[in-house]
Amino acid sequence: MMKTERITLRHWLDTDAKALYKYASDPEVGPRAGWPPHLSEDDSLEIIRNVFNNPTTWAIVWNETGEAIGAMGYGPSCECSLPAREGEPTVGYWVGKPYWNKGVCTEALRLMITHIRNTTDIKSLISGHFISNPASGRVMEKCGFIPTGETAFDNKLYQGADKPIRVLRLVF
């Protein structure tokens, strides 16, 4: 578990399904990151159990309420053409719309980067954002990611087919 004054990164619990559905069902949230809105609490519970249930994915919890408001994690490269180096994990994150433009993702990404530096021998991270979602790129840049100048595409992403992805990398 990682914590700041405003947020905590902790592993997902089945009891987070209601909060996950609340934010992940918003049609403006998932498509910006390449995934479809959740259709039910059961859909969200399945995501918690089958996608988020791993040691490198965390719920972003708003300390004031104890509610999971988003997700932060890293892992094997996504099913897209990000030019990851061997052993270089891909970073991904999102936060519910009421928390946009409040620095939450930047705060969470900084926490995770500190955790990675302190607990792993990972040498670099790669990530990307749809060019139509520049706010996600600003989060990465605030945390030290540098644009590689490369563009990737992902034909498998929900509403992401042929949408350009700007590639950024952080080298430790």
Side-chain angles (χ1 to χ4, degrees):
M1 187 165 55
M2 298 160 267
K3 190 171 189 170
T4 67
E5 188 175 311
R6 297 191 311 160
I7 64 168
T8 298
L9 296 184
R10 63 152 169 81
H11 291 292
W12 286 89
L13 307 169
D14 285 357
T15 54
D16 292 322
K18 183 175 183 174
L20 177 57
Y21 175 67
K22 175 179 172 181
Y23 297 111
S25 62
D26 185 324
E28 291 190 58
V29 174
R32 288 177 184 259
W35 44 268
H38 292 198
L39 302 176
S40 67
E41 280 186 39
D42 286 340
D43 190 22
S44 294
L45 180 58
E46 184 176 329
I47 295 294
I48 289 170
R49 290 179 174 171
N50 298 313
V51 178
F52 294 165
N53 185 20
N54 66 73
T56 60
T57 300
W58 297 273
I60 302 171
V61 176
W62 191 245
N63 291 339
E64 189 175 307
T65 62
E67 183 179 52
I69 61 167
M72 173 65 59
Y74 69 95
S77 184
C78 61
E79 295 179 353
C80 61
S81 61
L82 283 181
R85 298 171 179 164
E86 186 174 333
E88 182 177 61
T90 299
V91 170
Y93 51 83
W94 66 270
V95 70
K97 190 174 178 183
Y99 298 91
W100 289 0
N101 301 311
K102 296 180 190 250
V104 174
C105 282
T106 302
E107 196 171 327
L109 183 54
R110 284 182 178 144
L111 262 180
M112 188 180 74
I113 289 168
T114 299
H115 171 77
I116 291 168
R117 284 183 169 148
N118 292 339
T119 64
T120 76
D121 61 356
I122 292 171
K123 305 287 186 234
S124 63
L125 301 168
I126 194 165
S127 195
H129 65 92
F130 289 127
I131 291 172
S132 60
N133 183 11
S136 187
R138 285 193 298 277
V139 167
M140 292 174 218
E141 289 174 342
K142 288 177 189 176
C143 294
F145 282 74
I146 296 171
T148 66
E150 298 163 286
T151 301
F153 294 89
D154 189 336
N155 293 324
K156 296 180 183 176
L157 286 175
Y158 171 82
Q159 292 186 348
D162 300 322
K163 286 174 67 175
I165 299 169
R166 181 173 169 248
V167 180
L168 296 95
R169 175 174 279 120
L170 174 65
V171 178
F172 299 128

